[in-house]
């Protein structure tokens, strides 16, 4: 759908206005980076602290118990999406983002300082769980609020480019978490990491959150008094009036999140367990792939400003439906690391047509009074059900001897995203869909 004419020619933005806009994007996205750094540090460090909080049983049992705590944090996301969506729509985007990053800082600080089972007994794993639930709540609220803020602060005609930095920082947070652990592995002995070194990344995360809090305090609020005072502001009743948009977002987020988690967090395990690749080689390959994936987000986001959000989503959904099965099938028996890297990058490039614009697209589908709630809750629900379960479903089907069914599952959800995207032209006024 073409953009509606405003009746007057838009004046070019001054250098000072551009500077302020970029600073706002940096401030909003900095919290996103910290949130994902803190969230994934837990996963990467669990091998080193599992025995401290869960001393009973063998190593596998301990890791399963820490993974259960990780999953519990994931399941808190829909609640976070609702809670922080309400706060952002009713009390302001800035307020919501400040509370969110404070909660993540608190959760990381608790884990960094938390005594183990030997000192606190059963309270040690209970407090670990509570800290993770706190972090899960925070991450669940971060996406919708930051996506809403970045969509409202971005200049018309470059919204896709600016909003793409949400996934730049999301992927950057994962990479920072991974690299922090890798550096510590080279500096400290395995014994020191298991004893106290694992606490360092959590302390770093808490410190980074303080920096993000400082940056966010200087941000300007993008919602106005009229929007926040609206009778439907932040309410589920108000969101129900836009249930069609909500369902559409659920549809293409299901396919997008499943594809994202399949080719990022699960892919390293797939290369080792299915392709037979050496673990260190797979880690290096995925680190490089994620770095390139991060860099292409602004490029694809800028492209969406030219071709439209709907076209970008159709490209993602169409190619995900057609190429997922061939890519995963070839990767099963690939012998060349370079070919494997090329195939993974092809999959990530396809996924980029979703990730780079997902926040701005969702924000453009809801009115200001329920925008943060609509974006945050729909994303969190679809992400928890489809994205969060990707690894579990894949490994379960592999254990059952039916791994190829997972390939088709991801492909079908790509087709669902394509079909939902076909309806995007029916929505929107004054926005480029």
């Amino acid at each position: 759908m073409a953009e509606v004419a405003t009746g007057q020619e838009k004046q070019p933005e001054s250098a000072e206005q551009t500077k302020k806009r970029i600073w706002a994007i940096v401030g909003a996205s900095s919290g996103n980076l910290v949130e994902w750094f803190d969230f994934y540090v837990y996963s990467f460090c669990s091998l080193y602290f599992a025995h401290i909080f869960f001393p009973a049983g063998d190593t596998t049992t301990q890791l399963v118990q820490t993974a259960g705590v990780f999953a519990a944090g994931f399941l808190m996301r829909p609640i976070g999406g609702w809670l922080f969506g309400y706060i952002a729509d009713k009390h302001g985007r800035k307020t919501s983002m400040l509370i969110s990053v404070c909660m993540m800082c608190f959760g990381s600080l608790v884990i960094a300082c938390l005594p183990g089972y030997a000192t606190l007994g059963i309270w040690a794993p209970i407090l670990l769980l509570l800290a993770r639930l706190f972090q899960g709540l925070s991450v669940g609220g971060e996406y919708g609020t930051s996506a809403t803020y970045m969509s409202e602060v971005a200049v018309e005609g470059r919204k896709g480019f600016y909003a793409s930095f949400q996934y730049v920082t999301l992927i950057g947070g994962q990479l920072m978490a991974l690299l922090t652990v890798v550096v510590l592995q080279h500096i400290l002995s395995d014994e020191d990491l298991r004893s106290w070194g694992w606490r360092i990344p959590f302390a770093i995360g808490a410190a980074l959150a303080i920096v993000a809090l400082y940056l966010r305090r200087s941000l300007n609020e993008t919602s106005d008094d009229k929007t926040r005072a609206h009778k439907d502001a932040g309410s589920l009743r108000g969101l129900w009036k836009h249930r069609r948009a909500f369902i559409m977002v659920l549809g293409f987020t299901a396919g997008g999140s499943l594809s994202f988690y399949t080719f990022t967090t699960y892919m390293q395990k797939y290369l080792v367990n299915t392709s037979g690749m050496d673990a260190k080689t797979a880690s290096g390959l995925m680190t490089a792939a994620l770095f390139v994936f991060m860099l292409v987000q602004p490029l694809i986001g800028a492209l969406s400003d030219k071709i439209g959000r709907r076209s970008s989503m159709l490209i993602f959904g169409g190619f995900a439906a057609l190429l997922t099965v061939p890519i995963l099938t070839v990767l099963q028996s690939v012998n060349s690391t370079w070919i494997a890297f090329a195939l993974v990058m092809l999959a990530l490039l396809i996924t980029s047509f979703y990730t780079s614009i997902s926040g701005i697209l969702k924000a453009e589908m809801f009115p200001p009074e329920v925008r943060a709630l609509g974006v945050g809750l729909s994303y969190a629900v679809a992400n928890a059900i489809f994205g969060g379960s990707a690894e579990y479903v894949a490994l379960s089907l592999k254990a059952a001897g039916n791994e190829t069914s997972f390939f088709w599952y991801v492909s079908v959800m790509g087709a669902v995203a394509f079909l939902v995207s076909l309806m995007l032209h029916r929505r929107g006024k004054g926005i480029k869909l």
Side-chain angles (χ1 to χ4, degrees):
M1 179 181 292
E3 291 180 271
V4 176
T6 60
Q8 58 184 1
E9 196 171 325
K10 187 177 179 181
Q11 296 297 318
E13 193 173 45
S14 68
E16 183 64 24
Q17 288 175 316
T18 300
K19 182 180 177 180
K20 289 181 179 179
R21 198 178 300 280
I22 292 173
W23 180 253
I25 295 294
V26 170
S29 59
S30 65
N32 201 39
L33 184 146
V34 173
E35 297 258 3
W36 287 96
F37 173 88
D38 287 352
F39 200 76
Y40 277 99
V41 152
Y42 179 96
S43 177
F44 296 143
C45 290
S46 61
L47 179 66
Y48 297 106
F49 65 74
H51 67 287
I52 291 179
F53 295 100
F54 304 98
D58 56 18
T59 301
T60 301
T61 302
Q62 293 167 350
L63 289 175
V64 168
Q65 290 169 323
T66 56
V69 175
F70 181 82
F74 218 106
L75 293 175
M76 288 296 290
R77 292 188 189 186
I79 300 175
W82 163 75
L83 176 62
F84 283 93
Y86 166 78
I87 295 172
D89 288 330
K90 194 70 177 177
H91 303 285
R93 323 304 192 203
K94 179 179 176 180
T95 299
S96 180
M97 289 193 293
L98 289 175
I99 296 174
S100 173
V101 78
C102 284
M103 286 180 66
M104 182 58 75
C105 176
F106 177 76
S108 289
L109 195 59
V110 167
I111 297 175
C113 302
L114 187 62
Y117 192 92
T119 302
L120 296 181
I122 190 63
W123 281 105
I126 290 176
L127 291 174
L128 177 66
L129 174 62
L130 290 175
R132 287 301 293 172
L133 292 178
F134 228 61
Q135 289 186 317
L137 197 68
S138 175
V139 170
E142 174 67 22
Y143 180 91
T145 306
S146 62
T148 296
Y149 185 87
M150 292 170 78
S151 72
E152 291 173 342
V153 79
V155 65
E156 202 65 54
R158 300 196 72 192
K159 285 180 176 286
F161 171 75
Y162 281 121
S164 69
F165 283 90
Q166 183 172 33
Y167 262 86
V168 169
T169 51
L170 189 156
I171 301 163
Q174 292 185 45
L175 280 173
M176 278 185 60
L178 177 61
L179 291 174
T180 300
V181 174
V182 169
V183 170
L184 289 175
Q185 287 171 337
H186 283 81
I187 295 176
L188 302 176
S189 66
D190 189 71
E191 182 180 348
D192 286 340
L193 276 171
R194 291 179 179 275
S195 176
W196 55 270
W198 62 268
R199 297 181 184 274
I200 294 176
F202 291 102
I204 292 173
L208 288 174
I210 294 174
V211 175
L213 179 64
Y214 170 77
L215 292 174
R216 285 186 165 182
R217 285 185 63 189
S218 64
L219 297 180
N220 294 319
E221 178 57 51
T222 55
S223 65
D224 54 33
D225 293 336
K226 182 179 179 181
T227 296
R228 295 193 294 273
H230 195 285
K231 63 184 179 67
D232 289 333
S235 70
L236 293 175
R237 180 191 62 229
L239 184 58
W240 178 252
K241 297 177 181 178
H242 306 278
R243 54 190 178 275
R244 184 172 179 273
F246 186 87
I247 293 171
M248 287 175 67
V249 172
L250 282 177
F252 58 69
T253 302
S257 292
L258 179 58
S259 180
F260 174 75
Y261 281 97
T262 296
F263 292 109
T264 56
T265 57
Y266 173 63
M267 184 47 57
Q268 183 172 343
K269 295 180 179 67
Y270 181 81
L271 291 173
V272 174
N273 294 334
T274 299
S275 304
M277 187 176 291
D278 176 74
K280 288 186 178 180
T281 302
S283 296
L285 185 154
M286 286 308 302
T287 300
L290 284 173
F291 182 71
V292 177
F293 182 44
M294 178 180 69
L295 295 180
V296 301
Q297 298 303 304
L299 300 177
I300 306 298
L303 179 62
S304 79
D305 290 324
K306 302 295 184 183
I307 66 175
R309 255 57 99 189
R310 180 175 180 267
S311 297
S312 290
M313 284 301 300
L314 289 173
I315 291 172
F316 160 69
F319 281 109
L322 294 173
L323 297 181
T324 295
V325 173
I327 289 173
L328 290 174
T329 300
V330 175
L331 278 173
Q332 279 185 312
S333 56
V334 69
N335 294 317
S336 169
T337 303
W338 288 107
I339 293 177
F341 177 78
L343 289 170
V344 171
M345 278 313 309
L346 174 60
L348 290 176
L349 183 62
I350 292 170
T351 307
S352 293
F353 281 90
Y354 162 77
T355 55
S356 63
I357 63 161
S358 63
I360 182 67
L361 172 59
K362 295 163 192 173
E364 288 175 332
M365 295 180 69
F366 296 98
E369 66 271 14
V370 291
R371 182 170 291 153
L373 177 62
V375 176
L377 184 58
S378 57
Y379 164 81
V381 170
N383 191 263
I385 294 173
F386 295 94
S389 66
E391 187 171 314
Y392 176 80
V393 173
L395 292 173
S396 297
L397 289 171
K398 180 177 176 62
N402 197 16
E403 187 172 29
T404 55
S405 294
F406 179 72
F407 306 170
W408 286 102
Y409 167 54
V410 180
S411 182
V412 167
M413 294 311 299
V416 170
F418 179 84
L419 293 175
V420 173
S421 299
L422 285 173
M423 296 186 286
L424 284 174
H425 69 285
R426 300 178 186 175
R427 292 200 55 79
K429 257 186 181 180
I431 57 178
K432 193 172 185 179
L433 289 179

